[in-house]
Amino acid sequence: MTKTTITYNYYMKPSFDEIYMELAEKLAKRSHCVKMHVGAVLAKDTRIISLGYNGPPAGTHNCDMEWAEHGCPRDSKGGCSLAIHAEQNAILYAAKNKASMEGSTLYVTLSPCLACARIIYTAGIKHVFYLHSYGEYKKIASDEGVDFLVKFGVTVQRMSLTKTTTE
């Protein structure tokens, strides 16, 4: 598996990939999760079809307000009992609004976990760009979600939004 790192000059005209990843970073700041803030943008043909960030389902609890010190209660496997991942939120919103995701591109600030990778593949998303490694965050040997997507023909690239200046 080949991973590509993309960098750009802050003063140059940004590509759509850069714009959408920067938007995903901004969306991550809206997350109510105490442990990790993740944002996602789903785009097709240079148009945004959906957005998402991680947190509890709309209309339930906001973890940062109700359980600010430790986060939401854990489920039987030790994971968040309320959290929906950013990419899941983006995909669910697109599906709810009957937007076609076939051949689309997902920009997400944290590489997909294995469960999200299965959903991404099933939704027909063909390209995934991510900033940070889920494997590194969880301290596991590999990015299982990335490995799954690559194995089944989804293009996956790690981005770096390092801003360089010319002074």
Side-chain angles (χ1 to χ4, degrees):
M1 173 178 70
T2 303
K3 292 183 182 178
T4 304
T5 300
I6 300 170
T7 58
Y8 74 97
N9 184 318
Y10 186 73
Y11 294 104
M12 293 176 61
K13 186 176 184 178
S15 70
F16 282 108
D17 293 336
E18 294 159 349
I19 290 168
Y20 295 151
M21 187 58 81
E22 285 183 350
L23 178 55
E25 283 187 300
K26 297 274 190 212
L27 287 165
K29 294 177 181 179
R30 296 205 39 87
S31 172
H32 288 281
C33 182
V34 173
K35 305 222 180 270
M36 173 62 89
H37 294 197
V38 182
V41 174
L42 190 55
K44 187 174 182 179
D45 302 326
T46 70
R47 299 290 181 235
I48 295 171
I49 58 175
S50 189
L51 307 170
Y53 51 89
N54 64 318
T60 63
H61 304 278
N62 287 329
C63 301
D64 58 348
M65 297 170 137
E66 190 148 339
W67 302 287
E69 214 170 294
H70 302 291
C72 65
R74 306 284 101 189
D75 63 19
S76 62
K77 294 181 182 176
C80 298
S81 62
L82 290 174
I84 296 176
H85 291 186
E87 52 271 61
Q88 291 172 340
N89 261 327
I91 291 167
L92 287 167
Y93 188 80
K96 182 178 180 179
N97 288 288
K98 299 176 178 52
S100 171
M101 292 173 268
E102 191 66 42
S104 62
T105 301
L106 177 68
Y107 302 84
V108 63
T109 58
L110 187 66
S111 63
C113 68
L114 184 55
C116 287
R118 291 183 196 120
I119 294 168
I120 290 165
Y121 177 77
T122 303
I125 297 167
K126 296 296 180 198
H127 309 281
V128 175
F129 288 91
Y130 70 94
L131 279 181
H132 308 289
S133 164
Y134 181 81
E136 291 169 9
Y137 167 68
K138 287 291 198 175
K139 295 178 177 60
I140 55 177
S142 71
D143 275 307
E144 298 169 319
V146 170
D147 296 343
F148 175 90
L149 292 169
V150 169
K151 180 177 181 178
F152 292 103
V154 176
T155 303
V156 180
Q157 289 182 285
R158 186 171 189 171
M159 290 181 74
S160 170
L161 293 181
T162 307
K163 295 178 178 114
T164 58
T165 58
T166 54
E167 293 183 29

